[in-house]
Amino acid sequence: MTPPNSFNPAPAALEGLRVLELATLYAAPAIGAALGDFGADVVKVEPPHGDPLRRLSPDTWLLTARNKRSFSIDFKSEAGLAELAALADIADCILVNQPLRILKRWGVSYEQVRKRNPRVVYVSVSTYGASGPLAGVVGNGSIGEAFGGFTNLNGLAETGPLLTSLPVGDFLASLSGIIGTLAACYWRDARGGDGQFVDISMYEPILALLGSSLAGWVPGTPPPMRNGGLIDGTTPRRTYHTADGEWVVVSGPTDQQVARLLPLIGADSPGDLERFGSSAARARHAGDLDQLVESWIQQHPVTHVLTAMRDARIPCSQVQDLEAIVNNKHIRERQSLYALGDGGEQRFLPSPIPSMSKTPGRVAHAATPAGHDTEVIRKQWLANLTDPV
């Protein structure tokens, strides 16, 4: 699996969009990487010794630094800050996650930049957002997960709240930032609008994830708590152990799906239909149905379970680890992953999403060394700088 569409001559959807990235860690740089996938010219500004993420998490760096050019600046020198201001003055979009006091010291806060570049789409990523009592309080994606309520709902009923082993808060914040950036650019470029400030917090996308829980809770009643992945009214829906030691997930809670499931597991007697045939009835007998599904799955190997469930049009998947994912035929044929390196140690990264028929995303190049593109960017972005530094 090579980088998808690396040599595809199809036009890039965001070609010509100049993005200046003044951010580190995951969420904000992930926005820049996604914009770069679809053709934006993303210039990542780094100190001379490079972004700290290069050393803190080389694996995350591979993911978030793709399709970007590196511009090296001495943030402690007047000449470096003059170049930074010049880059900001001609950027279409600016991505930041630095504290406001630092951005002001650099001369590139939103209020400073918009006076010189009123068309700029300025995307700010922070834990609590740019307003409110907690604006400016230090945090990260894990803190956003906790503050937004996701951590409280993650885990088993008998355990305390658990963080996930995945950067859920960062990833959701980056998706929110991508949407905000593109919406602001469309309003400016297609609708004749102006630039604007796009305020991305790391807890508000978590609130969106909890939307159905919020909508179903009545103030004054006990709030939802951890239940090991179960969701009220969605039986069957959980992981099950097969006869050959594999795990599958079955999620088929609608009346139509359950109607096809019951004869499959031998539970379609008149009494079974009365207990499980409707959502209201299943809510009263959810545990009984879950046990019947579990018992049937435990009697069969994973290949039989998958085939039988899919033939009955009941959503079911094997629980895949990374090795299974890399070798999965469907994932390979869709080029959902791409490989870095040939032979020896090979690394895999997710391909650009979403898939698009006429302007597909592409990985033009992997992460580059710190400052690798400084001189080229000076010629291309700063050619008209009146007082070259």
Side-chain angles (χ1 to χ4, degrees):
M1 285 177 278
T2 56
N5 300 307
S6 298
F7 308 105
N8 192 324
L14 301 180
E15 185 175 354
L17 188 72
R18 286 180 165 178
V19 179
L20 184 66
E21 184 180 300
L22 303 172
T24 187
L25 298 176
Y26 189 129
I31 299 171
L35 298 176
D37 288 343
F38 291 93
D41 181 10
V42 184
V43 170
K44 182 173 186 65
V45 178
E46 301 186 69
H49 56 275
D51 189 299
L53 190 63
R54 291 178 179 269
R55 299 173 293 280
L56 177 65
S57 181
D59 296 340
T60 304
W61 178 258
L62 283 177
L63 178 66
T64 61
R66 68 185 187 274
N67 286 337
K68 298 177 184 178
R69 300 195 290 171
S70 174
F71 190 97
S72 183
I73 281 180
D74 181 358
F75 290 93
K76 297 181 180 180
S77 73
E78 291 186 8
L81 295 182
E83 280 194 316
L84 180 60
L87 291 170
D89 287 352
I90 62 173
D92 297 302
C93 306
I94 299 178
L95 307 176
V96 305
N97 66 355
Q98 304 291 347
L100 180 58
R101 58 181 174 79
I102 292 179
L103 294 170
K104 286 181 176 179
R105 188 173 73 222
W106 291 348
V108 289
S109 70
Y110 176 61
E111 295 301 326
Q112 291 167 315
V113 173
R114 73 177 183 133
K115 293 177 181 178
R116 307 186 305 265
N117 182 4
R119 297 187 72 257
V120 70
V121 170
Y122 194 99
V123 184
S124 170
V125 179
S126 61
T127 303
Y128 299 104
S131 62
L134 296 179
V137 174
V138 67
N140 51 39
S142 298
I143 302 305
E145 294 169 28
F147 187 75
F150 177 76
T151 307
N152 182 59
L153 293 177
N154 188 46
L156 301 173
E158 60 270 21
T159 68
L162 294 175
L163 285 170
T164 71
S165 55
L166 298 171
V168 174
D170 288 276
F171 182 71
L172 291 181
S174 73
L175 291 182
S176 179
I178 294 164
I179 294 169
T181 302
L182 295 179
C185 287
Y186 177 81
W187 187 76
R188 179 192 64 191
D189 299 337
R191 302 295 301 276
D194 211 342
Q196 61 183 295
F197 185 84
V198 181
D199 183 4
I200 306 297
S201 80
M202 304 186 88
Y203 79 88
E204 285 166 327
I206 295 294
L207 292 181
L209 181 64
L210 270 61
S212 59
S213 295
L214 279 166
W217 175 65
V218 177
T221 63
M225 293 299 291
R226 296 169 293 281
N227 58 7
L230 299 178
I231 299 177
D232 290 342
T234 60
T235 303
R237 178 195 175 273
R238 71 172 178 90
T239 57
Y240 298 93
H241 211 197
T242 65
D244 53 349
E246 298 293 334
W247 290 92
V248 297
V249 165
V250 175
S251 179
T254 70
D255 287 352
Q256 294 85 354
Q257 290 165 342
V258 172
R260 297 192 296 271
L261 173 67
L262 293 178
L264 175 65
I265 63 175
D268 56 345
S269 70
D272 293 327
L273 294 175
E274 182 178 350
R275 288 191 299 161
F276 308 132
S278 68
S279 299
R282 282 196 303 281
R284 297 191 297 270
H285 304 284
D288 294 339
L289 177 58
D290 185 68
Q291 288 180 7
L292 290 170
V293 175
E294 181 177 49
S295 177
W296 182 85
I297 290 176
Q298 287 178 342
Q299 298 174 47
H300 301 284
V302 65
T303 53
H304 178 84
V305 172
L306 291 173
T307 300
M309 290 285 183
R310 289 172 179 172
D311 286 349
R313 294 185 290 118
I314 299 164
C316 179
S317 173
Q318 185 171 359
V319 176
Q320 298 196 113
D321 61 17
L322 293 183
E323 185 172 6
I325 288 170
V326 167
N327 293 308
N328 185 280
K329 181 180 179 181
H330 180 85
I331 290 172
R332 283 180 170 270
E333 287 193 6
R334 280 184 57 85
Q335 292 187 296
S336 303
L337 302 174
Y338 69 93
L340 295 177
D342 297 316
E345 184 179 280
Q346 203 170 47
R347 310 292 288 277
F348 292 89
L349 292 177
S351 297
I353 55 174
S355 297
M356 297 176 68
S357 62
K358 293 189 176 180
T359 57
R362 67 191 75 186
V363 181
H365 59 80
T368 60
H372 178 268
D373 309 290
T374 301
E375 293 305 321
V376 173
I377 294 168
R378 279 181 177 143
K379 293 177 181 177
Q380 294 177 346
W381 280 43
L382 305 180
N384 298 322
L385 188 60
T386 56
D387 185 19
V389 290

